[in-house]
């Protein structure tokens, strides 16, 4: 029997399929998001027994994967094995090691999101309403499990984000969902929907109110601590670098971007301070509003990618732009991309309006300037997340199609912001450069805040001040960003991922013609899906050098 035959008979491919099916059973919401609509309406079992079953499945799968020795697998399969083990480790870290299910309401947010039924046209409206009804019927049990899991007192920022998510869902159920499904003429189904939706509203309202009761005793005990933070970096991203070195790299990148901002501002607003320069750029708001302006930006950005041969564009899909639903307005912008098992469905790039509770000035300041918005569109669509998912959805590996890591996705989307500037977007315009740098500085401060908040005793107020002073964020954004660092400690992955991609690109391209090889690098890099970036070095033949 040849080596190829042995690899074919190794059982690896069937094990991959078993893993995916098993994971979908313990996390049916991820199956639905991927496009497996036989799981529609189902929610994970978040009881203590259900969480234990999920952990046991991941541990068992990890050990079974490791049992596939190198002699049994070809190079691609060895990579997939390491990728699969990393997926299990990442999920186990959040599920079990960090205890996120017991202290962080955002642990539940993705699975609770009904947007797939409401906004994603994967089937006739009648079919999607049936799925939503099943989801709504399962919601009260899920809400009781969440309430039983969350251990009080909670960090005050966790209470606040929980109320934003759960209270926002109440508003979404009440105002948005009925209008979407009102065209369905099946009166019996409409009656079933009305009853199920009312119970879902009541259940989520109870959870929101319960969280409100926790505000009086909420604390600031959110930090993971140095050991757990370092473990997070390895288990979720395969980054094994000392915290001191990581912080040094983050500060160096911050200083690099601040120096570039000083240079750009000296040309754009001579004689003005950096804060005055940034204020001038940010005051130039799109006249038609951010949603309409973003729509206008996408066509020219796509054309720029093509003309400059930066990366291939597989397929003809386009992204739409819309205002964010209420329960996601803690995030200034994001994109919802159909899963790899869907076909011919639109992606939606969402932009959040300011909080109506803020002052008029805060609401106006929160809106991005035109140059800032341009790089948000770069990040979310062309050539950021949307283009990256066009590639990953076509990966030859099922693991690569289905499991996209935080550092890979956000690292790529942040990396390309600087890439398009270096390639000549708007031909060296200083305002454009400042827009790019504002996005870079925002991610620099996220990086340093994550390390500071979770390992260095930084307070939320100190983080907020750094967002204002170093990233030039308005008060509303600064508050949101600092709070996010407490419940999303991995949001350093934007800059961390960017730094790893730049290092990998430069190491790979140095022996292949330098900059002229970037297009090939980008295509090859994206073809593997979304693994931890350190796993890419061997697959790309970049050598065994440091990852940063």
């Amino acid at each position: 029997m040849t080596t190829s035959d042995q690899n074919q008979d190794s059982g690896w491919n069937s094990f991959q399929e078993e893993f995916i099916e098993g994971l979908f059973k313990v996390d049916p919401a991820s199956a639905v998001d991927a496009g497996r609509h036989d799981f529609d309406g189902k929610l994970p079992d978040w009881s203590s027994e259900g969480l234990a079953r999920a952990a046991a499945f991941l541990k068992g799968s990890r050990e079974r994967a490791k049992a596939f020795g190198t002699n049994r697998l070809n190079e691609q399969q060895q990579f997939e094995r390491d990728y699969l083990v990393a997926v299990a480790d990442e999920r186990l870290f959040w599920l079990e090691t960090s205890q996120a299910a017991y202290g962080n309401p955002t642990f539940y947010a993705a699975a609770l999101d009904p947007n797939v039924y409401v906004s994603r046209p994967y089937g006739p409206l009648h079919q999607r309403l049936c799925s939503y009804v099943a989801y709504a019927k399962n919601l009260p049990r899920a809400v009781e499990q969440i309430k039983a899991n969350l251990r009080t007192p909670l960090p005050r920022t966790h209470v606040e984000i929980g109320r934003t998510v759960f209270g926002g869902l109440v508003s979404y159920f009440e105002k948005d969902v009925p209008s979407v499904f009102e065209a369905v003429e099946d009166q019996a189904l409409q009656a079933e929907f009305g009853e199920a939706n009312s119970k879902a509203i009541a259940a989520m309202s109870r959870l929101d109110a319960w969280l409100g009761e926790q505000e009086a005793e909420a604390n600031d005990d959110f930090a993971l601590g140095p050991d757990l933070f370092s473990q997070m970096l390895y288990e979720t991203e395969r980054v094994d670098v000392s915290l001191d070195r990581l912080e040094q790299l983050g500060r160096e990148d911050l200083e690099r971007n601040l120096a570039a901002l000083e240079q750009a501002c000296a040309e754009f607003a001579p004689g003005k301070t950096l804060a005055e320069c940034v204020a001038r750029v940010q005051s130039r708001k799109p006249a038609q509003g951010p949603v309409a302006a973003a729509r206008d930006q996408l066509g020219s950005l796509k054309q720029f990618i093509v003309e400059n041969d930066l990366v291939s564009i597989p397929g003809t899909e386009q992204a739409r732009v819309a205002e964010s639903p209420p329960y996601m307005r803690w995030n200034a912008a994001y994109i919802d991309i159909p899963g790899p098992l869907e076909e011919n469905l639109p992606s939606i790039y969402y932009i959040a309006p300011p909080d109506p509770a803020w002052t008029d000035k805060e609401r106006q300041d929160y809106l991005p300037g035109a140059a800032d918005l341009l790089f948000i569109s770069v990040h979310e669509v062309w050539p950021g997340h949307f283009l990256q998912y066009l590639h990953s959805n076509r990966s030859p590996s099922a693991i690569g199609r289905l499991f996209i890591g935080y550092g890979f996705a956000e690292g790529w989307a942040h990396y390309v912001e600087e890439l398009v500037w270096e390639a000549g977007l708007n031909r060296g315009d200083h305002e454009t450069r400042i827009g790019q740098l504002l996005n870079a500085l925002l991610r620099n401060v996220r990086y340093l805040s994550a390390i500071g908040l979770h390992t260095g005793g930084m307070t939320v107020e100190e983080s907020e001040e750094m967002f204002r002073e170093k990233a030039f964020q308005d008060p509303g954004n600064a508050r949101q960003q600092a709070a996010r660092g407490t419940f999303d400690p991995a949001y350093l992955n934007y800059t961390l991922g960017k730094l790893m991609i730049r290092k990998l690109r430069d190491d790979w391209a140095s022996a292949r013609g330098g900059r002229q090889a970037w297009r090939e690098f980008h295509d090859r890099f994206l073809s593997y899906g979304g693994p931890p970036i350190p796993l890419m070095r061997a697959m790309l033949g970049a050598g065994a050098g440091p990852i940063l």
Side-chain angles (χ1 to χ4, degrees), residues 41 93 105 120 122 151 154 157 161 178 186 228 272 286 288-289 293 323 383 385 388 401 441 480:
F93 178 83
R120 191 178 294 176
Y122 64 84
R151 297 168 182 165
L154 293 164
T157 50
I161 187 60
D186 185 331
L228 204 57
K272 300 294 184 182
Q288 68 273 52
E323 187 175 279
H385 289 310
Q388 183 248 309
R401 291 191 297 273
L441 290 166
Q480 281 189 345

Side-chain angles (χ1 to χ4, degrees), residues 47-98:
S47 67
S48 57
E49 296 81 7
L51 293 175
R53 279 194 296 272
F57 166 76
L58 291 167
K59 290 175 183 176
S61 298
R62 180 177 60 188
E63 296 312 307
R64 288 180 64 197
K66 288 181 176 180
F68 283 87
T70 301
N71 62 328
R72 295 177 61 189
L73 305 175
N74 61 35
E75 184 182 34
Q76 172 65 25
Q77 291 170 331
Q78 291 172 41
F79 170 73
E80 289 177 336
R81 175 199 60 198
D82 295 343
Y83 193 164
L84 188 153
V85 169
V87 169
D89 282 348
E90 186 266 342
R91 287 174 173 255
L92 277 168
F93 178 83
W94 297 116
L95 175 64
E96 199 169 61
T97 308
S98 74

Side-chain angles (χ1 to χ4, degrees), residues 162-442:
R163 299 208 69 189
T164 297
V165 172
F166 302 140
L169 282 170
V170 172
S171 175
Y172 192 63
F173 296 157
E174 289 177 333
K175 299 175 183 178
D176 297 78
V177 174
S179 63
V180 170
F181 291 123
E182 64 183 0
V184 175
E185 297 180 354
D186 185 331
Q187 294 306 307
L189 180 58
Q190 285 287 1
E192 190 178 6
F193 161 70
E195 181 179 1
N197 200 45
S198 294
K199 290 180 178 178
I201 291 168
M204 197 60 70
S205 296
R206 288 194 300 273
L207 181 56
D208 180 40
W210 177 81
L211 276 172
E213 294 169 1
Q214 309 312 312
E215 290 175 345
E217 295 184 359
N219 57 35
D220 292 315
D221 187 17
F222 54 77
L224 292 176
D227 291 344
L228 204 57
F229 191 85
S230 294
Q231 188 174 352
M232 174 194 76
L233 290 171
Y234 183 76
E235 298 291 348
T236 66
E237 299 295 339
R238 291 299 188 254
V239 170
D240 188 11
V241 178
S242 73
L243 293 177
D244 287 344
R245 176 61 176 156
L246 285 174
E247 184 172 0
Q248 177 191 356
L249 290 168
R251 293 198 180 280
E252 288 174 356
D253 199 55
L254 172 68
E255 293 304 320
R256 178 178 73 92
N257 287 319
L258 284 172
L261 181 65
E262 288 184 6
Q263 184 177 356
C265 281
E267 299 291 338
F268 178 75
K272 300 294 184 182
T273 66
L274 288 185
E276 290 169 336
C277 168
V278 169
R280 178 180 292 184
V281 170
Q282 292 291 52
S283 70
R284 294 155 75 101
K285 311 289 184 184
Q288 68 273 52
V291 171
R295 290 192 188 109
D296 292 341
Q297 291 170 344
L298 297 188
S300 60
L301 286 173
K302 182 179 181 182
Q303 187 62 29
F304 179 82
I305 297 167
V306 173
E307 290 176 353
N308 288 273
D309 200 30
L310 294 179
V311 57
S312 65
I313 300 177
T316 59
E317 296 94 323
Q318 302 294 325
R320 299 176 183 172
V321 189
E323 187 175 279
S324 299
Y327 58 93
M328 281 298 294
R329 290 179 181 172
W330 58 272
N331 193 359
Y334 70 101
I335 189 165
D336 179 56
I337 300 172
L341 306 179
E342 303 279 21
E343 293 183 3
N344 303 316
L345 295 184
S347 296
I348 303 177
Y349 162 26
Y350 288 107
I351 300 174
D355 190 328
W358 294 346
T359 67
D360 289 344
K361 185 178 186 309
E362 286 178 330
R363 291 199 300 272
Q364 181 64 17
D365 288 346
Y366 180 83
L367 296 172
D372 187 7
L373 180 66
L374 177 63
F375 285 92
I376 297 173
S377 296
V378 168
H379 182 99
E380 301 296 343
V381 186
W382 299 116
H385 289 310
F386 179 67
L387 176 60
Q388 183 248 309
Y389 274 82
L390 291 184
H391 281 267
S392 66
N393 282 351
R394 291 166 169 81
S395 172
S397 166
I399 299 295
R401 291 191 297 273
L402 288 166
F403 304 108
I404 310 300
Y406 196 167
F408 190 102
E410 296 301 351
W412 169 262
H414 185 35
Y415 161 80
V416 297
E417 296 165 22
E418 190 163 4
L419 174 69
V420 296
W421 166 257
E422 291 174 332
L425 183 64
N426 288 346
R427 299 179 180 178
D429 172 68
H430 299 302
E431 185 175 359
T432 300
R433 173 61 158 161
I434 293 166
Q436 180 260 314
L437 289 166
L438 289 177
N439 279 272
L441 290 166
L442 171 66

Side-chain angles (χ1 to χ4, degrees), residues 112-125:
L112 290 176
D113 188 347
N115 194 54
V116 62
Y117 308 123
V118 181
S119 300
R120 191 178 294 176
Y122 64 84
L125 197 61

Side-chain angles (χ1 to χ4, degrees), residues 29 317 453 519:
E317 296 94 323
L453 288 165
R519 156 70 183 262

